Amino acid sequence: MAENFPPMTSVKRWFVTTNHKDVGILYLMTALFFLIFGGVMALLFRIQLLEPGGIGILSGSGYNQSVSAHGLLMVFWFLSPFAFGFANYVVPLQIGAKDLAFPRLNALSYWFYLFSGILFAISFFQGGTFEGGWTMYAPLNVPIYTPAMQATTGGTAAILGLTLFVLSTTVGTVNFLTTIHRMRAEGLGLWNMPLFTWSMLLTVWMMLFAFAALLAALLLLSTDRILLTQYFATQQGSSLLWGHLFWFFGHPEVYIVFFPALGMMFEMFQTFTGRRLVGRKWVIIAMVLVAVQSFLVWMHHMFLTAINLEIKTLFMATTIGISLPFDLMVFSLIYTMVKGRIRFTTPFLFSLGALVLFILGGITGVFLGAVVLDYEFRGTYWVVAHFHYVMVSGVTALIGGLYYYWPKITGKMYDEFLGKVNFAVYFVGFNLLYFPMFLAWETPRRVFHYGEGLQIYHQLATLGAFVLGSSFLILFYTLGKSLVSGPDAPDNPWEYARTAEWATTSPPPLENFDGRPTYASGKLEFVDTATDGGTATPGEAARADLERASHDVAQTHEEGHADHASIWPFGIGLGTFVLFLGLSGMTSWVEAFHPEFSSNPSYLYPSITILGVGILGYVLFQFGVEQFETPELAVAERWPFEGIETTKLGVWFFLASDVIVFGAVIGAYVFMRINAGWMNWGPIPEHAWAGLLNTYILLTSSFTVVLALEMARRKSKKGLLASMSVTLLLGLTFMGIKAWEWSEKFAHGDYWFSGLEYSLYYVTTGLHGLHVLLGLLLAGFMIYRVLTVDAYLEDSRPVEYFGLYWHFVDVVWVFLFPLFYLL
């Protein structure tokens, strides 16, 4: 509760906080830790590459693990979370909101992120982490092609850690989409939003769909590794299936990583040239075009597969096409510099450096977009160099952003001289590391053997790696020195910074602003709610806000301010972590039922799994019954979702993501069945009557949910209880029939590992059954709430939200029934 919210010096605060600024700081600090983790992995294999055959500090497996861990850590656990740290801190301030739409879910996304990284780190101690490369290509990503212990425990733990990370991003994505679309200050239309917020809006839109495809791929891979299904372990198109699923995520991911950095560059270029970005509206249009086109180019990563030449040519054209909007953005930044008065501060130097590096990375990427040249360059260090010039140029801009927002976050200024030294060492180290890779392009990727004539380039690259690493030591020293002895920062240390985050104190107080920010007059003002409509200047509001933060917080809570503390997001993260850790070692138990394996499974991992389920059940229940206030904004810009309530919009965004998950899983079924010859097997359940009966049952349950909503609106407790109870019974009946079907298949020896067709049937219907089970748990919880506290009679909206989810589950079954029972 807000009145008991601990101070920032308290350890407790960081476990219970849901405030967006605190969560942003947690993201930034944790991402920097994973930067060090991934950087150490890189230094290890760069040392190994000092000689053409390796100098022997790593075994072949150790080298593969280091390369794989480096890629996974940097792409997933550093790059995107580092950007999300800034987004958490800055976006609500920029749009004039007091917090994100769902503060507890924001905290939950962080704890999922942290525990996913811990699970990945633990995998090193479970016989070895995943060693199949960060792209996890099939069939090298399944147990049969890797050592037994690494395959079944450490490797699986790494995959499950990545799955938990994707759950984190899904929660965060829904939160940011809802916040930006529903909680902008009065008068702040989408067109006029700050460019960093624009970049984050497009980033989370891409994440909503791209990460859902990755989640589907990881779920299928997890079933292969734990349950021994056959999605990626066969010669029936499994490699091509993984390529499609992964790269449908993988190429948008490049822009997901780079867009926040691009938005940060736009903000810093405007601030340190003293002028508005040239062609601002065209830049926004260009970013929208890139976001849309990012989902139309994934097959250029698959030019070396058996895809026909016509399709390859089409994707070559889309690849060249997506570079054109970036040309516009680059020229916009250049013309902004030409027409402005540049101040070469540390943040601007990093931004300018990022622009230079990105131009080189983009130009070298055009080579790979041509089918003929891709045949020559694919699988070589040309790709490694290009990829890093693009991705790490984004890191360069984000480090500039760290310097840019450091005074706002900490209230302290940094040493400008040390900052410039940091940039110089960083820029030299970057180019010394990555540019020789272009010259050593004939080196094959993912191995430490190369021609002797290329040794000098690899030695230069290794030297550059250590120079680049030392730049981060300078960074940490500079920021640490600032915290300890840096001068106090003014509210706005940058002369030409004009976005709303600079209109409050440094650091901002708990509630961000005193009064309500508004752009109704065309400029930023603050409505003084105490005097019913008066306005205050930003400077006056900032000083009043600082005084207000020192008052008794209980008084502010009575005035309708939000709560900021809850321990249950941490508890859910912990419970999920324990559950996933237990699942990572369950393969041996599945092997015990497989006729081809002899296994003596340990009871350790089943015990951990059961413990995780117990913890998760308890904390989810407490999360559900906790009273947590997140007041709805009375006045805000909400186009184009004015008519949709905030939580309902969040549910819609979540369901949109789930549509992609099911679409990818059903698409995998269609792809694999066509590849195997559609008529090679018939409907898996030979008798369709059970599936037809279940279809009627679920459609009937949809009607009872509608009836439950009507009863809640009429405030009929008995009617609500009866309708929800019938829904629960119908759902249980569906699950019972499905369990009977499965038991019949088991009795005839048809298990999920018996063949590809059975893997497809059990996993797809099992994923749907898991959704039904979650819906049943929600229905049971809601019945409990109606019985104990007469819930939903005064506010029927939660029943409506449950109905949306339940109808979605029913619609999915309408697609699954003909696919598996009739065709």
Side-chain angles (χ1 to χ4, degrees):
M1 303 296 286
E3 58 263 31
N4 298 319
F5 197 54
M8 295 189 74
T9 54
S10 168
V11 173
K12 178 183 177 182
R13 174 179 178 129
W14 302 101
F15 284 95
V16 303
T17 186
T18 64
N19 183 262
H20 73 96
K21 297 182 293 297
D22 293 346
V23 174
I25 292 171
L26 288 170
Y27 262 109
L28 290 171
M29 296 296 292
T30 308
L32 288 172
F33 167 77
F34 285 117
L35 166 68
I36 298 171
F37 190 174
V40 169
M41 295 291 104
L43 292 177
L44 280 175
F45 65 74
R46 280 310 324 169
I47 294 173
Q48 179 79 356
L49 286 161
L50 279 171
E51 295 182 0
I55 66 170
I57 67 165
L58 294 172
S59 64
S61 176
Y63 181 85
N64 289 337
Q65 290 182 50
S66 297
V67 171
S68 303
H70 167 73
L72 290 167
L73 285 166
M74 290 303 196
V75 172
F76 294 105
W77 278 280
F78 169 60
L79 278 166
S80 288
F82 195 49
F84 253 69
F86 290 113
N88 263 282
Y89 203 99
V90 174
V91 166
L93 290 165
Q94 285 198 336
I95 66 175
K98 291 185 179 295
D99 209 320
L100 291 176
F102 311 112
R104 290 193 299 171
L105 292 185
N106 192 32
L108 177 61
S109 71
Y110 169 74
W111 292 115
F112 275 173
Y113 162 54
L114 175 64
F115 282 117
S116 71
I118 293 174
L119 184 57
F120 184 86
I122 289 176
S123 69
F124 281 91
F125 302 97
Q126 293 177 286
T129 192
F130 184 79
E131 59 177 82
W134 82 271
T135 54
M136 299 171 281
Y137 282 141
L140 297 178
N141 54 9
V142 290
I144 195 171
Y145 292 98
T146 44
M149 179 61 71
Q150 186 271 338
T152 55
T153 49
T156 303
I159 298 300
L160 290 174
L162 185 54
T163 305
L164 184 53
F165 173 82
V166 176
L167 294 178
S168 164
T169 62
T170 302
V171 172
T173 295
V174 169
N175 211 347
F176 272 93
L177 282 170
T178 308
T179 300
I180 297 173
H181 281 299
R182 288 279 304 175
M183 300 177 68
R184 302 189 306 277
E186 179 187 18
L188 185 62
L190 281 176
W191 200 250
N192 296 316
M193 287 193 311
L195 285 167
F196 179 69
T197 297
W198 251 115
S199 71
M200 285 308 307
L201 176 61
L202 294 173
T203 297
V204 291
W205 268 115
M206 288 187 285
M207 291 177 74
L208 185 71
F209 302 116
F211 273 92
L214 178 62
L215 178 60
L218 291 172
L219 289 175
L220 299 182
L221 178 56
S222 297
T223 63
D224 269 13
R225 298 185 68 90
I226 299 172
L227 300 177
L228 305 180
T229 55
Q230 298 181 23
Y231 276 91
F232 305 115
T234 72
Q235 299 299 318
Q236 303 180 59
S238 61
S239 297
L240 206 56
L241 172 65
W242 178 263
H244 283 298
L245 289 174
F246 182 84
W247 288 117
F248 187 80
F249 148 80
H251 200 81
E253 169 68 359
V254 174
Y255 307 114
I256 287 168
V257 166
F258 190 72
F259 262 37
L262 191 62
M264 197 73 77
M265 290 166 64
F266 290 146
E267 297 289 358
M268 289 185 282
F269 266 72
Q270 291 183 126
T271 295
F272 298 114
T273 61
R275 65 165 293 122
R276 184 181 173 92
L277 191 73
V278 173
R280 182 183 189 275
K281 293 182 179 180
W282 290 105
V283 166
I284 294 173
I285 293 172
M287 287 198 295
V288 173
L289 286 174
V290 170
V292 174
Q293 287 179 267
S294 69
F295 291 94
L296 304 176
V297 297
W298 81 90
M299 246 187 274
H300 72 217
H301 293 274
M302 304 169 68
F303 281 163
L304 266 65
T305 65
I307 297 170
N308 66 58
L309 183 59
E310 289 78 12
I311 293 179
K312 292 178 182 178
T313 303
L314 173 63
F315 276 86
M316 180 175 69
T318 62
T319 301
I320 302 301
I322 204 171
S323 68
L324 300 179
F326 275 111
D327 296 340
L328 188 150
M329 289 182 251
V330 167
F331 282 118
S332 172
L333 290 168
I334 292 172
Y335 279 118
T336 302
M337 285 192 294
V338 169
K339 296 189 176 184
R341 295 181 59 188
I342 302 173
R343 282 163 294 281
F344 288 97
T345 61
T346 300
F348 182 77
L349 287 173
F350 274 99
S351 291
L352 180 59
L355 177 61
V356 172
L357 298 174
F358 177 73
I359 290 172
L360 184 55
I363 291 172
T364 54
V366 173
F367 287 76
L368 297 169
V371 175
V372 176
L373 290 176
D374 190 68
Y375 271 81
E376 186 69 19
F377 286 129
R378 181 65 62 186
T380 71
Y381 262 56
W382 183 278
V383 180
V384 177
H386 152 72
F387 181 74
H388 283 86
Y389 263 89
V390 172
M391 301 289 270
V392 189
S393 69
V395 176
T396 308
L398 291 175
I399 294 172
L402 185 59
Y403 278 108
Y404 184 61
Y405 281 112
W406 183 259
K408 178 58 59 179
I409 294 172
T410 64
K412 296 287 187 179
M413 293 301 296
Y414 59 86
D415 187 314
E416 187 68 40
F417 173 76
L418 283 176
K420 290 177 178 177
V421 171
N422 182 198
F423 169 74
V425 176
Y426 176 94
F427 197 74
V428 170
F430 181 104
N431 287 284
L432 188 58
L433 168 58
Y434 297 119
F435 192 80
M437 295 182 187
F438 286 121
L439 304 176
W441 69 271
E442 292 176 294
T443 305
R445 297 173 68 184
R446 306 185 184 94
V447 298
F448 50 82
H449 296 275
Y450 55 85
E452 291 187 6
L454 304 176
Q455 182 172 3
I456 182 62
Y457 303 123
H458 284 284
Q459 290 176 338
L460 286 173
T462 299
L463 175 61
F466 280 90
V467 174
L468 182 63
S470 68
S471 75
F472 287 99
L473 297 179
I474 299 172
L475 170 69
F476 298 142
Y477 173 77
T478 303
L479 299 184
K481 180 174 181 288
S482 170
L483 273 180
V484 173
S485 59
D488 292 338
D491 296 337
N492 184 358
W494 317 120
E495 184 179 358
Y496 292 104
R498 290 292 180 265
T499 45
E501 69 269 28
W502 305 107
T504 186
T505 56
S506 297
L510 195 63
E511 303 286 351
N512 292 346
F513 304 103
D514 184 54
R516 176 172 57 84
T518 175
Y519 291 86
S521 67
K523 63 181 181 179
L524 177 60
E525 296 179 322
F526 292 88
V527 174
D528 188 350
T529 54
T531 58
D532 192 29
T535 59
T537 67
E540 292 169 347
R543 287 191 293 273
D545 212 15
L546 186 59
E547 295 173 3
R548 184 189 187 101
S550 64
H551 290 170
D552 179 26
V553 187
Q555 180 65 31
T556 65
H557 182 70
E558 291 171 5
E559 293 170 2
H561 288 196
D563 291 336
H564 295 283
S566 174
I567 190 62
W568 305 118
F570 168 77
I572 296 172
L574 176 63
T576 309
F577 161 74
V578 174
L579 172 62
F580 278 30
L581 178 61
L583 290 175
S584 70
M586 292 296 287
T587 307
S588 59
W589 280 84
V590 178
E591 289 176 346
F593 294 93
H594 198 294
E596 297 180 10
F597 292 97
S598 58
S599 178
N600 296 308
S602 163
Y603 285 92
L604 174 63
Y605 284 104
S607 302
I608 295 174
T609 304
I610 294 170
L611 176 62
V613 171
I615 295 173
L616 202 52
Y618 174 76
V619 295
L620 282 171
F621 176 81
Q622 295 297 332
F623 184 89
V625 301
E626 182 181 44
Q627 296 298 311
F628 190 89
E629 289 295 325
T630 308
E632 181 81 10
L633 293 177
V635 181
E637 292 293 330
R638 298 189 170 99
W639 187 87
F641 299 109
E642 299 97 330
I644 306 179
E645 188 270 332
T646 300
T647 306
K648 183 193 287 189
L649 184 61
V651 173
W652 277 116
F653 284 138
F654 165 74
L655 293 179
S657 177
D658 217 11
V659 166
I660 302 299
V661 173
F662 269 107
V665 172
I666 294 173
Y669 163 79
V670 174
F671 178 89
M672 297 295 273
R673 186 163 179 183
I674 290 175
N675 187 79
W678 187 272
M679 301 306 295
N680 280 355
W681 70 74
I684 297 301
E686 292 82 1
H687 306 291
W689 67 264
L692 181 63
L693 178 59
N694 261 347
T695 302
Y696 285 126
I697 289 172
L698 278 189
L699 291 177
T700 304
S701 71
S702 271
F703 170 75
T704 60
V705 169
V706 173
L707 192 61
L709 178 59
E710 182 61 26
M711 291 297 104
R713 288 172 174 170
R714 294 184 181 185
K715 300 183 179 181
S716 170
K717 181 177 179 179
K718 291 183 178 179
L720 176 58
L721 276 174
S723 302
M724 289 299 296
S725 297
V726 172
T727 301
L728 181 65
L729 288 173
L730 288 170
L732 289 170
T733 303
F734 173 91
M735 294 294 283
I737 294 174
K738 179 55 62 181
W740 173 81
E741 276 189 318
W742 282 25
S743 65
E744 285 290 299
K745 303 299 292 181
F746 294 161
H748 290 86
D750 296 328
Y751 295 95
W752 54 88
F753 46 72
S754 299
L756 176 61
E757 63 270 32
Y758 297 108
S759 295
L760 295 168
Y761 164 69
Y762 282 111
V763 172
T764 309
T765 59
L767 179 63
H768 176 265
L770 180 62
H771 278 71
V772 174
L773 177 62
L774 293 175
L776 294 176
L777 292 173
L778 285 171
F781 175 78
M782 294 176 76
I783 291 171
Y784 165 81
R785 295 285 285 169
V786 175
L787 287 171
T788 55
V789 294
D790 292 339
Y792 320 124
L793 300 179
E794 298 299 327
D795 182 2
S796 63
R797 290 177 297 177
V799 181
E800 182 181 4
Y801 308 148
F802 170 76
L804 291 173
Y805 173 81
W806 194 254
H807 297 324
F808 167 75
V809 172
D810 295 350
V811 169
V812 170
W813 180 255
V814 171
F815 283 93
L816 296 186
F817 169 62
L819 279 176
F820 286 101
Y821 291 82
L822 302 179
L823 297 180

